[in-house]
Amino acid sequence: MFPSESIVSNTLSSLLFYTVCLGMLLLIGVLIRVKVNFIRKLFIPASLIAGFIGLVLGPHVLGLLPDEMMSTWSGFSGVLISIVFAPMLIGVTINFQRIKETQTISQLIFSWNTSFLQWGVPLVITAILLVPLFGVNPLFGALTEIGWSGGHGTAGGMVESFNELNWAAGGSLGLTIATIGLLFGIISGVIIINYGVRKGYTNYLTTNDSLGTKESKDIYEPNEQTTSSVRTIRNEVVDGFAFHFSLIGVAIFIGWILKGVIDNFITGMPLFPLAMIGGFLVGLVLKRTSLYHAIDTSTFRRIQGISLDFLITAAVATISIPVVLEYFWPLLIITIVTMVMMVCFFFYFGPRLFQKDWFEHSIILFGTACGVAAIGYMLLRMVDPDLKSDAFIAYGLRAPFSSPFAGGGLVTSLIPVLTVAYGALVVGFGSIAIMIVIFVIAKAFGLYGRHENTYFINR
């Protein structure tokens, strides 16, 4: 099924008009982000601001936007998330020597196990408490990792999958949980950093330094501006963005073929992780041709960024407020549990996984596991302004082994399917068991335990 079939509007002109309106919302979000100081300090992205404006203007609040427009926007998520994931593995190179030097393996263990924690505990609580007490769908327990580690992009992209699994409420609830996680990541991250500075856990920021007084600029000065992509193919052949879009198109087409095969055996498998596999296959083929040198990963990142901004704006604007209110108490319980376990995970496992700069390595992963990569990066820059630690390098090196799978990738998309097939309790306890096994293996290889130079443990 092609994306246009999910659009309610009857003409391409209507689709263009609704897309233009979405762009206008995003521009308003940018203006608010740039001009309103307290929003800037909270690092709330413009796309999220724009989405909330659309939500207020929508049918559940002011009723100024037509239902047809909201229906069209709700169909954007499943389409745009495939564009985000399709190029993720095209042109990616891996430096194994740097992986060893920068504690990348420890970051992988941290990030993978936060996902297993966010799968396991909520699913078990859902099965044991929330299903019998509130009658929620067992899939409710799978939303935590989708919303927190996956973020708004993944939550929006899973809307279609939840519809196929006969639980339409999952889309709005996932986006709500993603918003809660994002705000918690920002607020709690700043609190944790202030606490860490006072306790002496940070290595590049002390109580004598000013925390958070150096504000980053939302708009670069002309002399500070840099290129965000490079030209790799002559314009008389094809525009560079058009070339990269064509590769994304091939990757998504392969994903459609894979989905058609998988749908014969598994219900509810979303397109976006299969598009990522398609991208991986495209990359393998291109490596054998001269076209491989025309790939610019920065151009792919720009295309992904555009898609993600429009995706988040559309997804948040179409949240069903009645559904959120209906699930208020289950949401409150799961939110409190997740908040507590994320803070405990940070302070207990962080200093035991990293032999050096445990706070810096842990804080960037904490921010990412609560919201998005930008939040993790923002928290790291607060404690390591000049990026003297290897935390950011390791963060980038771990991405090919983590992002395509957990935190919004292939495994994230499979958890709801497995929950329907085997039940929330089985998948929940299975996730916790895998997390424990990973820690046991890490302990056996000396990657987990008390480290002599970890101040936090040996005080």
Side-chain angles (χ1 to χ4, degrees):
M1 183 177 73
F2 286 85
S4 59
E5 295 179 13
S6 64
I7 303 298
V8 176
S9 305
N10 295 321
T11 66
L12 288 175
S13 296
S14 298
L15 177 59
L16 176 62
F17 175 70
Y18 296 154
T19 306
V20 167
C21 291
L22 198 64
M24 292 170 63
L25 276 182
L26 188 56
L27 178 58
I28 294 172
V30 171
L31 293 174
I32 292 174
R33 164 61 195 258
V34 171
K35 297 298 183 180
V36 180
N37 196 40
F38 96 91
I39 291 180
R40 290 184 66 243
K41 290 182 177 179
L42 285 177
F43 292 90
I44 297 175
S47 56
L48 189 57
I49 299 169
F52 278 122
I53 295 172
L55 184 64
V56 172
L57 297 176
H60 299 301
V61 185
L62 297 180
L64 298 179
L65 300 180
D67 291 335
E68 291 81 6
M69 180 180 290
M70 307 308 286
S71 298
T72 300
W73 287 355
S74 66
F76 279 13
S77 300
V79 177
L80 294 175
I81 193 65
S82 296
I83 297 177
V84 173
F85 270 78
M88 193 169 284
L89 296 179
I90 302 178
V92 174
T93 57
I94 300 171
N95 189 326
F96 289 101
Q97 180 61 32
R98 292 294 283 156
I99 286 175
K100 182 179 179 181
E101 295 172 349
T102 57
Q103 301 185 94
T104 301
I105 302 292
S106 295
Q107 280 211 18
L108 268 176
I109 295 170
F110 190 107
S111 60
W112 265 101
N113 279 352
T114 52
S115 285
F116 279 116
L117 189 69
Q118 290 177 3
W119 286 317
V121 174
L123 281 168
V124 170
I125 291 176
T126 298
I128 294 176
L129 178 64
L130 302 183
V131 171
L133 194 60
F134 298 100
V136 303
N137 191 301
L139 286 170
F140 183 82
L143 293 176
T144 300
E145 202 271 347
I146 289 172
W148 284 60
S149 289
H152 287 86
T154 302
M158 289 295 292
V159 170
E160 183 180 345
S161 181
F162 283 122
N163 289 336
E164 292 184 17
L165 294 171
N166 300 315
W167 191 45
S172 292
L173 293 172
L175 289 162
T176 303
I177 289 175
T179 302
I180 294 170
L182 181 70
L183 294 175
F184 175 76
I186 296 169
I187 297 170
S188 66
V190 173
I191 294 173
I192 287 172
I193 288 172
N194 278 277
Y195 176 78
V197 170
R198 289 197 304 269
K199 289 291 185 178
Y201 302 152
T202 58
N203 288 329
Y204 306 98
L205 193 70
T206 68
T207 53
N208 295 323
D209 299 320
S210 57
L211 179 62
T213 56
K214 186 191 295 184
E215 294 187 3
S216 60
K217 296 180 180 178
D218 287 332
I219 300 177
Y220 293 109
E221 298 293 336
N223 61 336
E224 298 174 330
Q225 295 174 0
T226 58
T227 56
S228 58
S229 61
V230 297
R231 183 181 298 174
T232 59
I233 192 168
R234 290 185 176 275
N235 283 344
E236 56 263 32
V237 178
V238 66
D239 182 81
F241 271 78
F243 169 70
H244 287 79
F245 259 118
S246 68
L247 297 180
I248 291 174
V250 174
I252 294 175
F253 185 78
I254 295 173
W256 259 314
I257 296 174
L258 294 175
K259 180 172 171 57
V261 174
I262 292 174
D263 281 345
N264 294 320
F265 307 97
I266 300 175
T267 301
M269 186 68 184
L271 173 62
F272 67 87
L274 303 177
M276 181 184 64
I277 294 175
F280 176 72
L281 296 176
V282 168
L284 288 180
V285 172
L286 288 178
K287 280 186 177 179
R288 300 177 179 274
T289 71
S290 58
L291 283 178
Y292 187 73
H293 300 294
I295 292 176
D296 173 40
T297 55
S298 296
T299 300
F300 279 137
R301 300 301 169 259
R302 300 288 71 75
I303 295 172
Q304 289 173 302
I306 294 168
S307 302
L308 196 57
D309 281 330
F310 276 87
L311 187 162
I312 292 172
T313 302
V316 173
T318 54
I319 290 175
S320 176
I321 295 178
V323 169
V324 174
L325 295 176
E326 180 185 348
Y327 281 81
F328 175 79
W329 289 110
L331 277 171
L332 182 63
I333 293 171
I334 283 294
T335 296
I336 293 173
V337 169
T338 307
M339 287 177 176
V340 171
M341 70 182 187
M342 287 302 299
V343 174
C344 292
F345 190 97
F346 175 89
F347 280 109
Y348 185 82
F349 292 106
R352 289 167 172 81
L353 277 172
F354 300 102
Q355 296 186 15
K356 180 183 178 184
D357 299 334
W358 78 267
F359 196 94
E360 289 75 15
H361 280 274
S362 299
I363 199 67
I364 188 173
L365 298 172
F366 175 85
T368 303
C370 291
V372 292
I375 302 304
Y377 179 63
M378 178 266 291
L379 296 177
L380 176 64
R381 287 300 297 264
M382 291 179 71
V383 296
D384 185 10
D386 299 318
L387 297 180
K388 294 180 179 179
S389 70
D390 287 332
F392 189 62
I393 298 173
Y395 183 83
L397 291 172
R398 62 163 264 294
F401 304 97
S402 178
S403 299
F405 308 105
L410 180 61
V411 181
T412 297
S413 65
L414 277 173
I415 292 295
V417 178
L418 295 174
T419 301
V420 170
Y422 300 103
L425 199 62
V426 172
V427 178
F429 276 125
S431 299
I432 294 172
I434 293 173
M435 181 184 71
I436 294 172
V437 169
I438 291 175
F439 276 125
V440 170
I441 295 174
K443 178 76 171 178
F445 283 90
L447 296 171
Y448 172 74
R450 294 177 178 270
H451 302 302
E452 292 182 0
N453 57 351
T454 302
Y455 173 76
F456 179 78
I457 295 178
N458 297 291
R459 300 185 54 180

